[in-house]
Amino acid sequence: MARKRGRGMAACWYGIARTATVDRAAAWAEIDDGGSAKIVTGVTEIGEGILTVLAQIAAHEIGVKPEHVVIGDNDTARAPEAAHAGASRQTYMIGNVVALASREARKRLVDVMADMWSAPAETIRTGNGEIWAENTNHRITMGEAVACAKNRGVVPIGSATFGTDTTGIKDGKGGDGSGRPWQAYVFGCQVAEVEVDTVTGEVQVLAVWAAHDVGRAVNPQGVEGQIEGGVVQAIGQGLMEDYQLKDGHTSTSGFAKYILPTSLDVPRVNSIIIEDPDPIGPLGVKGIGEPAMVPTIPAVMNAIYDAVGVRVFDLPATPEKILMAMREKDRRETMAPQAAE
Amino acid sequence: MVDIHLDAIINGRKVSRDVKPHLRLLDFLRDDLNLTGNKEGCGAGECGTCSVFVDGVLMKSCLMPVAKAQGATVDTIESLAKSGELSVLQKAFHKAGASQCGYCIPGMVMAATAALRANPFADREEIKERLGGNICRCTGYQKIFDAVELARDVQNGRVPATALLETDTADGEVIGKNVRRIDAPSKVSGRLKYAGDMTMPGMLHVQVLRSPHAHARIVSIDTSAALAMDGVESVITAADVPGKDGFGVFVHDQPIMARGKVRYVGEAIAAVAAEDALTAKRAVAAIKVVYEQLAPVFDPDEAMLPGAPVVHDYAPDNITKHIPIRVGDVEAGFAASDLVIEESYSTQAIEHAYLEPEAGLAYVDHDDVVTVVSPSQNITHHRHMLARIIDKPISKVRFIMSPVGGGFGGKEDMIYQGMLALLAMKTMRPVRLVYTREESIISTAKRHPSRTTLRMGLMRDGRIRALAMRMVCDGGAYGLSTEGVMRKAAILAAGPYAIPNVQIDTYGIYTNNTPSGAFRSFGALQTQFATESQLDIAAERLGLDPFEIRRINAMRDGDMTHTKQKLGSVSLMRALEAAEQASRWEAGAPTVRGPSRGDLNHDDVRPSVTLGTRFASGDASSEAAE
Ligand code: FES
Ligand code: FES
C-alpha cells in the first residue's frame, strides 16, 4: 500500500486576554432614537467577527435586534480606550465591557418607564425591540420608550470599564515565574486523521475533530470559523510554510516560493464547542482565536507517526523529511537483527 | 511614455480613456476608475484577490497589461451587485459566514461565480479544485465551500431562497445564534474600503528605502539628488525625528527608520513622499547611503556565546528576554522517575501572510492633530508611542483603525506608521503608503523560530513526575513582542497537566535576521508542540492510550498551575471526552496502529485526493468560458 492512514491527538490550554498584566477595556452605549443602539469602543474587527458578536451582546442586553445596533469606528480621538485586537481577548474584554455599558444604558431607560408606569423596575422587561411591564398592559416599542425618556430630559446612555484581576509573574533573576497571568483559562483537544503517501512523502490531513471550551458561544458559526481558520493555519506551519533566510536574505519573498495552504490542502474540520462559563465576567464568555491553533500540529505529527512510524521533530514536515525519516527507519530496521548478534 | 487610448466595456459601461501603457489592468481599474473592490494581494498571480472577468473568463488582473483589455468586456466584483442587491452567491457567503477579514473575498466570489457558471452542479470536491487559485488566510476555506454549495442548491431550486435569510431571533434570544455577520455585505460586494483603497485630495505617495545589509553602520545618507527631483515633496531619515525615537510592544528598541546602523535586510532607512508612486520609487533609487559592514550574527545559539557580535548595545549578551518557571525540584523528580525521555524539537519562522499588505494614510487635520489611518491591531499603544516619537501631546495624535485585511498578530507593530506621520507633518499634505507583498514579507515580523529540548520523567502508571524544557528563540533584529512571546510560551509550556516538578526556561535572542513578533498562538504553539509530541512518545513506551495518559495527568478543578495560580473550573476532561467521542477514537497505545485501525475513513472525513492529477483533465482558464 502506497498510502497509509493514521490518527493522532493532542490537547492544549490557553490564557484569555493580555498576559501577566492588568488588562482593561472601556465602552460607551446609547439607546438611540427609533430604538436602535449605538456602541463605541476603542478596538474591534480584524476579521474574527467581533463586530457581530458585540452587536449580539448589545442587542441581548438592551433588548433590540442585532441589526439595529451600530458600532462606532475605532478612533483614539473619538472612542474610549480598549487596547489591542489580539491575545484572544476581544470577546472576553470588549464583549464583557459592552455588556456592562449596555446594561447601564438600559437601566436609564427602564427607570424612566418604571416611573411612568408606576411599576417596580424589576418587572420591566425588554426584548426584540419592545419594552413592557410584566403582568400589565404596558408594552411599547423601544423607539417610543426613548422618546418618553427624552421628553423627561433623559438620554439613555451608559458607559463601563472592565478590568482583570491579574498580576505579573516573577520572571526576574532567580524568579520562579509565579503569578496570576490570566483570570480565564480555556482547554481544548483535537484529533487528526492523515494519509501519508509512502512513495512521495506527501501528507494529507483529511479530518480534524476540534473540541474547544469557549466559555459561552455568542455566535457558534463565528467560533467554528475561528477553529477552522486556526486549524488550517497550523497545518500550513506543520506541513509546508517556511520563511527561509540565508545570511539574513530571504529566498521566500513571494507566494510563489512561500507556500500557503489552498482549498485543496484543507481537512474537513469538525468543531465541537464546549461551554464552561467564565464565572467572573458578566457574560460567561472566554475566547477561541489562538487556542484553536495550538493542538493541531502535534495532533498531525502524532497521526503521521501512527500511519508510518516516523516522527518529525523539526517543522515543517515536508515530503522530503518524511521520506528521509522513512528511509532511515527502514535502514535501522534491516540493521537491527545483525546488530543484535 | 506615450499614453495609449483604451476602449472597453467595464461593468456594462463604455469606457474610453487615455491610459499609461505600463499599467496593469488591476492598476487601471483601481487607480484610474476607482473600482477598488478587487484587491492586490500579491501582484504576482499567486493569490487571486485581483480576479475579474475579461470577456467572461476569470483572469488575474495583476498579470494583465492594460493594453490587452483593448476592446474587451471587463467585469469586476462591483458588477455583481450593481443595483445594491447581492447575488445569490454573495448572499450565500453572507449566510454561511464565509467572509472573515474579507480581503480575499471579492476575488473568491469572482472565482466561485465562475465555478458555478462552468458547472452549476459542481460537487464540493470540484468546487475546491475550481477555487484552487485563490488564497484565503482566515477562514480555512470550509465556510467558503459551504457558501458555494448553498448558492448552488438555491440556484438549482434544491433549497428554497429563504435559506439565505437571517436566523430567526423572534423569541428575543440572540446569544448563541448564528446571526449573520454585519460586516459581510460590504465585504462580499467589494464596497468595504481598506487603507490601500482610500485616497484623499492632494495625496502624496510614499516609498521606502530599505537596507540591503543585515548588519552595517550607516556612514552617511545623501538625499540631495532625490530631493531635487521633480514631483518629490519630502525625503526623511532618522535625523528628522523630532522626539524620542523607538517603538516596540515591550522594549522600544526600534527606530522608525534605521538610526546609526542597520540590523536586518529590509529595514527602513529613508522614506520619500512624491506626487506619484513611480516618482517616489525613482527618488528612493537616487538616495545614496554609505555603509560600513559589521560582523553579523544569524544563529541565536551563536549569538548567546561570549564574543558574538552585539546587535543592541543595551543587551551585550543579545538576550532580549529570559523567562524562568520553577516548581519543585526537577532533578529529584527525574531521579524518582521510572522512565525519562529527552528529545529535541524545532519550529521554523513563518509569515503571517495576511492577504492585505500593510497600508496607511496620514494627514495633519485642522486642529493640528497628526492622524494616521491604518489597519493597526493596537491603536491605543501606537498613539502613545507615536506621541513620544514626534514629541506631541497625546491629544494631538490620533489613530484610526481601518478595516484590517487579516492581522494574526502581524499588525500589532508600528512598523510604518511613524514614517507616514512624519511625512504628513513635513509636507502638510495627506500621504499614503501601500506595501508590496515582497516588502511586507521581508520587512515585517515572523513567528519566532524555536529550538527546544524537553526532558520528561514519568512513573510506570503514566504520571509525569518532572518536566524540564529549554527553548531558544530567534527574535531577530528588534524586540517587538519577543518578551511577551517568551512569557506566554513559558507559562503554558508544560501543558494543562498537574506536574510536581517543573523547570522551564525560554530565551528570546537578538540576531540580524528578520524580526520575530506576535503571531497567533504566541509562543504557546512552539512549546506545546514539543510537550504534546513527547506525551505520545511516552504513551507508546508505557503502553498507554494517548487520551489515557493525558487524563492521568490532566489538571482538575482547583488545581495549581505551574505559575502557582489556583484554577477554578477546568474543562480539559470535557474537551478530551468530546474529541474522543466525536472522532469515535479507537483506544490503544500509539504503536503505529494506523493501517490496522477501525476508526478511519468515516463520512466526516474528506476524501483523499491524488495531488497533481486533478487538473490534468482541463485547464483552469477554460472554466468560465460559458
Ligand atoms: S493574483 Fe493578482 S494580486 Fe495576487
Ligand atoms: S477572509 Fe479570506 S483572507 Fe481574510
Side-chain angles (χ1 to χ4, degrees):
Chain A
M1 252 297 270
R3 289 175 173 194
K4 290 187 172 164
R5 287 209 184 183
R7 279 179 158 209
M9 58 79 64
C12 76
W13 66 334
Y14 213 80
I16 298 301
R18 293 168 70 188
T19 306
T21 182
V22 172
D23 202 351
R24 72 264 169 186
W28 297 328
E30 179 181 348
I31 311 177
D32 210 342
D33 291 336
S36 58
K38 189 156 77 188
I39 301 294
V40 184
T41 180
V43 67
T44 58
E45 188 73 35
I46 57 167
E48 74 284 66
I50 189 68
L51 284 176
T52 311
V53 166
L54 297 181
Q56 285 177 258
I57 290 169
H60 167 80
E61 294 294 341
I62 292 170
V64 297
K65 288 179 186 294
E67 60 263 38
H68 295 151
V69 178
V70 172
I71 316 256
D73 287 341
N74 305 299
D75 179 336
T76 57
R78 307 288 185 267
E81 170 174 331
H84 79 300
S88 305
R89 68 189 284 280
Q90 297 251 64
T91 302
Y92 191 68
M93 296 303 299
I94 322 297
N96 277 328
V97 80
V98 163
L100 294 173
S102 300
R103 281 178 195 182
E104 190 179 289
R106 179 184 180 276
K107 182 173 184 306
R108 280 219 159 77
L109 191 66
V110 162
D111 286 348
V112 168
M113 296 319 300
D115 191 51
M116 259 182 78
W117 290 336
S118 305
E122 315 80 68
T123 65
I124 308 287
R125 296 275 174 271
T126 56
N128 217 11
E130 292 188 328
I131 182 164
W132 65 95
E134 269 181 344
N135 305 320
T136 72
N137 291 329
H138 293 302
R139 179 185 284 266
I140 58 174
T141 66
M142 291 294 272
E144 288 162 344
V146 171
C148 290
K150 289 193 174 173
N151 280 336
R152 294 188 161 209
V154 175
V155 180
I157 57 158
S159 66
T161 172
F162 181 69
T164 58
D165 174 20
T166 42
T167 68
I169 62 167
K170 293 199 182 92
D171 57 21
K173 243 192 166 39
D176 66 353
S178 61
R180 186 181 158 75
W182 301 287
Q183 65 181 27
Y185 285 79
V186 292
F187 302 84
C189 177
Q190 294 183 7
V191 173
E193 184 166 326
V194 304
E195 185 172 271
V196 183
D197 187 318
T198 56
V199 176
T200 64
E202 207 110 35
V203 176
Q204 295 186 51
V205 184
L206 301 177
V208 169
W209 292 264
H212 289 271
D213 170 26
V214 301
R216 181 181 182 195
V218 176
N219 188 316
Q221 188 181 66
V223 172
E224 287 167 18
Q226 286 302 294
I227 293 175
E228 291 158 11
V231 163
V232 169
Q233 275 190 1
I235 287 172
Q237 170 141 31
L239 299 182
M240 62 192 88
E241 294 180 39
D242 198 356
Y243 176 74
Q244 293 180 334
L245 284 169
K246 185 158 183 357
D247 299 336
H249 291 263
T250 185
S251 54
T252 51
S253 63
F255 291 159
K257 291 279 175 57
Y258 187 84
I259 305 302
L260 292 160
T262 71
S263 59
L264 302 169
D265 300 307
V266 303
R268 162 138 173 188
V269 181
N270 303 292
S271 301
I272 306 109
I273 298 175
I274 294 168
E275 296 185 301
D276 182 30
D278 171 55
I280 302 166
L283 289 173
V285 296
K286 292 191 245 182
I288 183 64
E290 295 172 279
M293 232 183 137
V294 176
T296 312
I297 294 174
V300 168
M301 298 305 139
N302 290 339
I304 293 171
Y305 183 81
D306 187 46
V308 291
V310 303
R311 180 170 290 285
V312 176
F313 295 90
D314 304 315
L315 300 183
T318 56
E320 299 74 42
K321 278 187 202 161
I322 304 269
L323 279 187
M324 217 153 67
M326 285 175 55
R327 260 185 243 124
E328 172 65 15
K329 176 177 174 272
D330 284 349
R331 201 181 54 80
R332 254 182 316 170
E333 277 167 7
T334 48
M335 301 278 286
Q338 294 157 347
E341 284 168 4
Chain B
M1 262 184 311
V2 190
D3 286 359
I4 52 170
H5 193 82
L6 183 84
D7 287 293
I9 309 280
I10 297 184
N11 293 345
R13 312 279 301 207
K14 246 204 211 123
V15 172
S16 182
R17 286 216 185 195
D18 289 336
V19 297
K20 300 255 173 279
H22 70 269
L23 294 188
R24 305 163 301 170
L25 176 59
L26 180 63
D27 304 318
F28 175 65
L29 293 170
R30 288 177 53 83
D31 300 339
D32 289 15
L33 301 183
N34 202 25
L35 294 169
T36 55
N38 285 103
K39 311 296 179 196
E40 177 164 356
C42 71
E46 302 286 345
C47 74
T49 57
C50 63
S51 302
V52 299
F53 293 128
V54 178
D55 293 329
V57 180
L58 189 70
M59 296 288 273
K60 289 175 173 162
S61 62
C62 71
L63 294 180
M64 189 166 163
V66 66
K68 284 261 175 69
Q70 188 68 265
T73 298
V74 177
D75 293 299
T76 68
I77 183 72
E78 285 88 351
S79 72
L80 296 184
K82 251 183 142 181
S83 57
E85 170 87 3
L86 300 179
S87 71
V88 167
L89 192 69
Q90 287 171 316
K91 285 181 188 160
F93 267 64
H94 186 194
K95 175 66 181 178
S99 69
Q100 289 193 17
C101 82
Y103 206 80
C104 73
I105 294 298
M108 200 63 88
V109 167
M110 296 302 276
T113 302
L116 289 184
R117 281 184 192 170
N119 181 2
F121 299 96
D123 67 6
R124 198 173 178 95
E125 297 310 305
E126 182 177 343
I127 290 165
K128 287 182 188 176
E129 289 186 28
R130 291 187 180 276
L131 299 181
N134 288 65
I135 293 171
C136 174
R137 190 53 159 167
C138 300
T139 62
Y141 302 96
Q142 190 139 322
K143 303 242 178 291
I144 292 175
F145 306 150
D146 292 347
V148 183
E149 286 197 289
L150 174 60
R152 175 199 65 202
D153 291 346
V154 170
Q155 277 173 0
N156 296 336
R158 268 186 276 175
V159 160
T162 50
L164 302 167
L165 298 179
E166 179 62 290
T167 306
D168 185 15
T169 56
D171 60 357
E173 189 42 80
V174 293
I175 301 256
K177 296 237 173 98
N178 292 332
V179 168
R180 292 183 304 184
R181 289 179 63 123
I182 59 180
D183 55 347
S186 69
K187 288 175 173 171
V188 300
S189 61
R191 277 188 289 122
L192 185 65
K193 296 274 187 195
Y194 298 82
D197 302 330
M198 298 176 188
T199 55
M200 289 181 79
M203 181 180 89
L204 297 166
H205 296 260
V206 178
Q207 293 284 318
V208 179
L209 174 69
R210 300 189 176 279
S211 171
H213 303 296
H215 203 192
R217 197 169 73 80
I218 298 173
V219 179
S220 63
I221 307 178
D222 179 1
T223 61
S224 55
L227 259 176
M229 287 170 67
D230 276 355
V232 172
E233 276 289 301
S234 180
V235 182
I236 54 165
T237 67
D240 295 291
V241 174
K244 199 171 170 327
D245 203 356
F247 67 90
V249 179
F250 294 88
V251 281
H252 298 161
D253 60 351
Q254 183 162 7
I256 63 173
M257 287 165 287
R259 180 172 293 275
K261 71 172 184 172
V262 291
R263 296 181 172 89
Y264 73 100
V265 174
E267 181 169 3
I269 295 172
V272 175
E275 297 293 341
D276 59 81
L278 201 60
T279 305
K281 216 174 275 176
R282 293 202 179 113
V284 161
I287 299 171
K288 292 186 199 74
V289 185
V290 178
Y291 299 95
E292 178 192 312
Q293 300 281 341
L294 298 170
V297 59
F298 298 120
D299 184 292
D301 286 303
E302 284 169 22
M304 291 170 88
L305 299 174
V310 173
V311 182
H312 290 269
D313 291 340
Y314 93 90
D317 52 6
N318 288 323
I319 296 180
T320 317
K321 193 69 187 178
H322 163 223
I323 304 286
I325 307 272
R326 302 282 182 270
V327 184
D329 178 345
V330 279
E331 287 314 323
F334 288 127
S337 296
D338 294 323
L339 171 68
V340 176
I341 301 169
E342 180 166 348
E343 292 288 355
S344 301
Y345 300 83
S346 73
T347 66
Q348 79 281 32
I350 70 162
E351 159 62 23
H352 300 84
Y354 24 70
L355 267 281
E356 178 207 25
E358 287 73 4
L361 281 84
Y363 55 91
V364 181
D365 81 0
H366 51 275
D367 287 325
D368 286 327
V369 176
V370 178
T371 305
V372 181
V373 183
S374 68
S376 156
Q377 287 183 254
N378 196 347
I379 54 176
T380 304
H381 189 217
H382 288 185
R383 150 178 110 135
H384 292 151
M385 293 189 292
L386 185 62
R388 202 172 18 80
I389 292 167
I390 62 175
D391 195 24
K392 296 237 181 229
I394 290 255
S395 59
K396 292 293 179 194
V397 177
R398 177 181 180 194
F399 269 87
I400 299 172
M401 182 180 178
S402 58
V404 181
F408 318 116
K411 290 173 180 165
E412 288 182 18
D413 305 312
M414 201 182 72
I415 203 101
Y416 57 97
Q417 288 90 343
M419 292 185 278
L420 277 174
L422 212 50
L423 282 168
M425 290 162 67
K426 284 261 170 185
T427 61
M428 289 306 274
R429 286 173 66 176
V431 294
R432 187 180 81 178
L433 170 61
V434 181
Y435 275 23
T436 61
R437 173 58 55 188
E438 182 181 16
E439 251 182 319
S440 173
I441 291 183
I442 66 167
S443 69
T444 68
K446 301 288 163 281
R447 187 191 296 286
H448 286 78
S450 68
R451 286 182 194 142
T452 299
T453 52
L454 174 59
R455 249 175 118 193
M456 202 184 259
L458 300 106
M459 307 309 291
R460 235 179 299 277
D461 64 5
R463 274 177 303 138
I464 308 170
R465 190 70 180 254
L467 183 149
M469 184 189 288
R470 180 176 191 272
M471 177 170 81
V472 174
C473 285
D474 182 354
Y478 289 101
L480 301 179
S481 287
T482 291
E483 175 176 334
V485 171
M486 292 308 107
R487 193 176 290 117
K488 203 170 206 166
I491 296 171
L492 296 169
Y497 307 110
I499 306 172
N501 305 292
V502 176
Q503 176 177 316
I504 312 285
D505 292 283
T506 59
Y507 296 88
I509 305 298
Y510 282 123
T511 66
N512 294 112
N513 290 326
T514 317
S516 304
F519 201 133
R520 189 178 192 176
S521 310
F522 218 73
L525 180 139
Q526 291 92 319
T527 50
Q528 292 186 59
F529 158 57
T531 303
E532 292 294 319
S533 294
Q534 198 131 322
L535 269 174
D536 260 42
I537 297 172
E540 180 176 23
R541 301 269 295 268
L542 295 169
L544 289 168
D545 175 71
F547 278 94
E548 198 47 37
I549 196 169
R550 286 165 176 87
R551 274 196 194 98
I552 289 167
N553 291 290
M555 286 179 183
R556 312 290 166 112
D557 293 358
D559 273 355
M560 284 294 193
T561 66
H562 316 124
T563 67
K564 306 183 178 80
Q565 175 181 357
K566 194 172 154 58
L567 291 171
S569 169
V570 175
S571 55
L572 178 60
M573 294 295 271
R574 284 176 67 187
L576 290 170
E577 193 183 313
E580 191 177 27
Q581 281 185 2
S583 66
R584 300 163 307 269
W585 179 267
E586 185 181 278
T591 51
V592 198
R593 294 184 295 138
S596 64
R597 300 180 76 111
D599 54 0
L600 300 170
N601 208 10
H602 280 270
D603 40 329
D604 50 0
V605 174
R606 77 153 159 90
S608 85
V609 290
T610 302
L611 297 177
T613 62
R614 283 166 301 192
F615 284 113
S617 52
D619 78 26
S621 61
S622 68
E623 65 199 16
E626 295 153 295

